[in-house]
Amino acid sequence: MNQLTNHPKLFQFVGLLVIFALLCLFINPSENNIFWRFPSLIAGLPYLINDSVEYLMFDWWPIQVYDPEIEEFEEKPLLQQVTRAISASILFLIGLIREIIMGGVKTIVTFTSWDFVSENKWARWPALPWTVVASGAILLGYKLQGKGLAMLAGFSTIYIAVFGQWEPSMQTLSFVLFAAPVSFILGLALGIWAYKNRKVELTLNPFLNVMQIMPHFSYLVPVMVFFGIGDHAGAIATIIFATPPMVRLTVLGLKRVSPEVLEAGMMSGCSNFQLMYKVLIPTARRDILIGVNQVIMQCLAMAVIASFIGAKGLGFNLLLSLNGLRIGQAIEQGICIVLIAVVLDRMSLAWANKQTDYFADLTFFKRHKYSLMFLVIVVAGIVLAYIGTFFFREGFNYLYIVPHNKGISIDDTLQNGVDWIWDTFFFTLKGFNVFLIQQILMPMKAAYLSMPVVATLALTMGVGYIIGGIRSAAIVGGFILFIALTEWWDRALITMYLMSFAVIVSSIIGVTVGTLCAQNSYTAKFILLVCDTFQTFPSFIYLIPVIMLFGVTDTSVLIAVIVYATVPATRYTVEGLRSVSPDLHDAGSMSGVNRLQRWIKIELPMSFPHMALGVNQTVVFALSMIIIGAMIGTDDLGQFILKALSDKNGVGNGLTLGLCVAFIGLAADQVIRTWANERKQILDIS
Amino acid sequence: MLQGSKGNVDAKTFQDAGCIVGVNNASFAVQKGDLLVVMGLSGSGKSTLLRCISRLTDATSGNIYIDGEDLLGMSNKKLIELRRNKMGMVFQSFALLPHKTVLENIAFPLQMKGNSTEESIKRAMEMVKLVVLDGRENYFPRQLSGGQQQRVGIARSLAVEPDIWFLDEPFSALDPLIRKEMQDEFLRLQGVLKKTILFITHDFDEALRLADRIAIMKEGIIEQLDTPANIVLNPATEYVRKFTEDVPREKVLKIESVMDPIDSSEELSDLQVSKDAIIETVAEVVLNQQKPVAVTDADNNVVGAVHSSKVIHVLFGSRAETENND
């Protein structure tokens, strides 16, 4: 009894579980019982969305547009014209960037005409030889960080060129080169506005939360409806996804500028404009550049998914390989994506952390030595490529571009390897698969589906109340209620079961591995590096090995999810354990603790809040991966979102489903974050 | 509530209403060339006072006049003009821009004004020489020690040749030896530049050392505003007395407070001391003379004589007697 009075929350928890059990027992599963499943009152929402979208696109505000082909004025809806204009300009810009890197005639055509180009053979923009791009990357890597980064950059570009993936890689890269700067500018502008105006910040926050947690696929459908299919649609979807982290980090960076620096700026007589652009932003440089890093990584992650709505590049090819189960090829392409991701990530991080050290009285040559070197390389590369035209008279000029799929390829070897694994371990894998599905997953799924909705609602709201009071209970309740009132509650339950299983397993693995590695600074550094690298991989990549081993089942998805979601759990555990104040460790030592006592009494309690945030991230990662896993064939919300992509009227469904997924994540986020913040306050950690 | 009170703020009523009073009825004037030190403990309102006067914070009521112009009524544009030309401020945490070199930091206010880069850098170099940082002008703040960073802060605040110089606890973040050096440096600069200064500190000894006049603040109220000598000799409240209790008189009092009128029957020694000399600096010399020493003013006219007995009294006598005699 003492236990219960000392820990009132434990008591409340036990009480809640009792109520939950009772509700489950006494509510009969039947179609007509509203306590079992709520009537789908919001089922009309998708139709409402569809109708409004249709209205906006096809009927709203018609304006007169001159059609040159029929030489007459026509009535067209305003929004359609606007979106068409935006699409055209985006396509033009992406095309421009592509042509600078890969050569082509389209840009010149835009300014002249097709006739002009066919008459004048010289009027084509030549591509940048891969040697030039590779050397440029090496130079940039060296300038930003040193030999290590230079070698990584060099290796990656050479790999891409030699393995014949140059064209698709450059297509993906040009996509990122367009979307990233736009997201950066948009994010920075919104961030500055939110910093200056508290109301804007408060209004933006919930939107940013939802936008960051909604599954990528949900964005694709409305973008498709408004902008059509193609590179431009992919770019817009990418921009929508990449802007929120930029906004967040801008606001954070600006807020962290010391108030005295701000006052010094004011006393130096800065106008508001000067204050923002000469004082605040340069001082917040590091956080803003971390934002840039996040933007680039998001753009790359989306580049793969954007292939669903027609964006060309590596993602598109990877999708084809996966669909045709050509695993060897998929692995090669996957490695390309991963290499690009890691290089871009390391470069932008090095840029953020770089301190300028210069002494102002250097000569012109010394100051611009890298740019000058690059110029020399461009000239040399072009000369080399020109010489190459003489050597490789038939066939392909390898000093210029290695054409698609004509490079070295080891995909046959890889495919053989994959087949060997499949043959050798077939029975073990199958046995494991069957065991998992029959003994654990199916019962768990059945258990979730047999919960009456009232019980689920009571449980979740109860947890919210115990941890965060009425406010948390209301927020969690609101989210769950919304989902319960759609017609997809059962699907949502399936998503939730997948998510809980994955989160539990990931957390256990993550905390264990994290604790073991946190003991020693070398292992800690090593595991953090591993986590970093894994985190740069676009989540898509994880699907490749699991399809190979487990086929198209729930197990595949879960294993991919668990691998993906263990990364944040591990990293936050290591970081949390290693950031316990040394003073506390010393106090423990002087009190004579042994290793186990230290772990249980000092390290774990102090790291709990940080680890809880790790679990939070695990939930987010798990959710997003589960939805992507729908491509392998689960039967949860993700599956329906995927269907909405190919449905003519899928906008409403796609968005509503996306909101459901987002709300599951936000509900979990609310509970975990509130608990972590409360613990932090009690433990007096910042 | 503020408007109804018509400027007579009763701290208690406002506090009961839930406000925290930062500065309560502080009224004073600072003449050109005066060095006013505002001294108080944390929470006394001294930083708030400074920020009100420099309009980094807006005072809720009251008036501030600079050269006859009402600061609070000024438009933003005029205020910026004022800051670019007439004001300079030094901060406790140095507040240097981390991404700019020493030279660029000092040139910053000049560039905000719109001066050409060449001109700004030229002037900044002069400032670098003034604060004795030659050779380090291309360093970044993170490559400098605390004392050096504060010199950059001082140089930056002086770059526009301000009439009014604000210093917010400029030496509090430095360690004691450096602090003394910087105080000496500051006195030297003031001797050369003769600015009108508002200096904030929580260190009473620092205040005594530097000030022409000291304002002691407690919980938003100025307890006493007077010359160091008067504060030490005649503390106005119990609070001020606590600070002055342990201050050695001879460090603060000048010869003129212990001199006697000339007695023609007395023979004076050959030595003469200035009436403005701090007793501590000339005590040994005076005591070594066999006869009373003549006291002169700035024009070298003899205005009195100082006797050893008086000096001994100040050095070794009991507090109560010293106070009664003056």
Side-chain angles (χ1 to χ4, degrees), chain B residues 39-98:
Chain B
M39 193 228 106
L41 304 179
S42 343
S44 57
K46 54 192 196 301
S47 287
T48 315
L49 180 62
L50 181 68
R51 279 170 170 70
C52 283
I53 297 180
S54 56
R55 261 194 86 178
L56 286 170
T57 320
D58 275 325
T60 40
S61 73
N63 298 305
I64 305 172
Y65 296 98
I66 295 190
D67 270 347
E69 282 184 72
D70 182 9
L71 200 64
L72 291 179
M74 270 188 200
S75 69
N76 239 350
K77 213 160 157 242
K78 193 112 209 300
L79 183 62
I80 291 180
E81 269 313 298
L82 202 71
R83 286 181 176 157
R84 286 177 179 175
N85 294 303
K86 286 210 180 160
M87 290 186 182
M89 184 157 170
V90 181
F91 294 86
Q92 184 175 5
S93 66
F94 325 134
L96 301 179
L97 295 174

Side-chain angles (χ1 to χ4, degrees), chain A residues 271-319:
Chain A
S271 63
N272 278 336
F273 180 81
Q274 287 170 323
L275 210 55
M276 177 56 71
Y277 290 100
K278 304 246 175 203
V279 179
L280 278 171
I281 293 195
T283 313
R285 182 176 172 272
R286 184 170 185 271
D287 285 317
I288 293 184
L289 284 179
I290 302 266
V292 170
N293 166 269
Q294 288 299 303
V295 164
I296 295 179
M297 298 319 289
Q298 294 282 12
C299 286
L300 201 56
M302 270 303 267
V304 172
I305 297 179
S307 56
F308 273 92
I309 46 177
K312 295 203 286 268
L314 284 171
F316 191 69
N317 298 350
L318 181 60
L319 202 57

Side-chain angles (χ1 to χ4, degrees), chain A residues 552-568:
Chain A
V552 179
T553 56
D554 271 7
T555 318
S556 301
V557 177
L558 274 175
I559 298 201
V561 174
I562 290 174
V563 172
Y564 188 56
T566 307
V567 172

Side-chain angles (χ1 to χ4, degrees), chain A residues 336-570:
Chain A
C336 271
I337 297 183
V338 164
L339 283 175
I340 296 182
V342 172
V343 169
L344 284 179
D345 178 52
R346 301 250 162 233
M347 278 194 180
S348 48
L349 272 179
W351 189 24
N353 285 323
K354 192 164 171 19
Q355 311 265 39
T356 21
D357 278 324
Y358 70 81
F359 298 98
D361 28 326
L362 291 174
T363 62
F364 175 79
F365 283 112
K366 276 219 185 123
R367 253 183 295 154
H368 295 135
K369 66 177 176 195
Y370 289 109
S371 324
L372 289 174
M373 253 193 254
F374 185 62
L375 230 62
V376 168
I377 289 178
V378 169
V379 170
I382 294 182
V383 165
L384 256 177
Y386 190 62
I387 297 178
T389 50
F390 296 117
F391 270 137
F392 302 105
R393 218 164 279 249
E394 306 112 30
F396 308 102
N397 183 352
Y398 290 108
L399 285 173
Y400 184 54
I401 271 187
V402 178
H404 189 37
N405 286 330
K406 291 281 179 289
I408 311 176
S409 178
I410 54 170
D411 71 337
D412 285 332
T413 331
L414 287 172
Q415 191 67 39
N416 289 338
V418 167
D419 291 334
W420 176 82
I421 296 182
W422 180 250
D423 293 333
T424 323
F425 295 106
F426 181 73
F427 285 112
T428 342
L429 288 175
K430 191 153 189 333
F432 173 70
N433 205 350
V434 167
F435 167 77
L436 195 63
I437 294 184
Q438 285 183 343
Q439 306 299 337
I440 304 185
L441 294 182
M442 286 303 119
M444 203 171 164
K445 189 180 191 171
Y448 267 70
L449 283 172
S450 67
M451 279 196 293
V453 69
V454 169
T456 320
L457 202 57
L459 185 64
T460 45
M461 282 181 77
V463 169
Y465 177 71
I466 294 178
I467 292 194
I470 300 261
R471 185 171 176 271
S472 286
I475 294 178
V476 171
F479 286 146
I480 305 286
L481 193 61
F482 178 89
I483 305 176
L485 290 175
T486 63
E487 36 178 355
W488 297 301
W489 176 245
D490 283 46
R491 301 284 153 205
L493 282 175
I494 299 180
T495 305
M496 285 194 243
Y497 118 76
L498 286 170
M499 187 187 86
S500 3
F501 182 75
V503 169
I504 293 175
V505 175
S506 296
S507 306
I508 295 179
I509 300 180
V511 171
T512 323
V513 173
T515 316
L516 289 173
C517 289
Q519 301 310 317
N520 169 318
S521 69
Y522 291 113
T523 43
K525 272 214 194 110
F526 172 72
I527 200 77
L528 282 178
L529 187 62
V530 169
C531 285
D532 258 344
T533 321
F534 271 77
Q535 228 170 310
T536 48
F537 299 171
S539 43
F540 216 80
I541 303 290
Y542 292 93
L543 294 179
I544 303 178
V546 290
I547 293 191
M548 179 171 105
L549 294 174
F550 295 100
V552 179
T553 56
D554 271 7
T555 318
S556 301
V557 177
L558 274 175
I559 298 201
V561 174
I562 290 174
V563 172
Y564 188 56
T566 307
V567 172
T570 317

Side-chain angles (χ1 to χ4, degrees), chain A residues 160-174:
Chain A
I160 296 176
V162 162
F163 278 74
Q165 299 294 340
W166 191 255
E167 269 180 41
S169 298
M170 289 301 118
Q171 279 171 339
T172 305
L173 195 63
S174 58

Side-chain angles (χ1 to χ4, degrees), chain B residues 20-22 40-48 169 217-221:
Chain B
I20 299 179
V21 180
L41 304 179
S42 343
S44 57
K46 54 192 196 301
S47 287
T48 315
E169 302 206 48
M217 284 187 79
K218 177 185 178 216
E219 285 169 12
I221 304 180

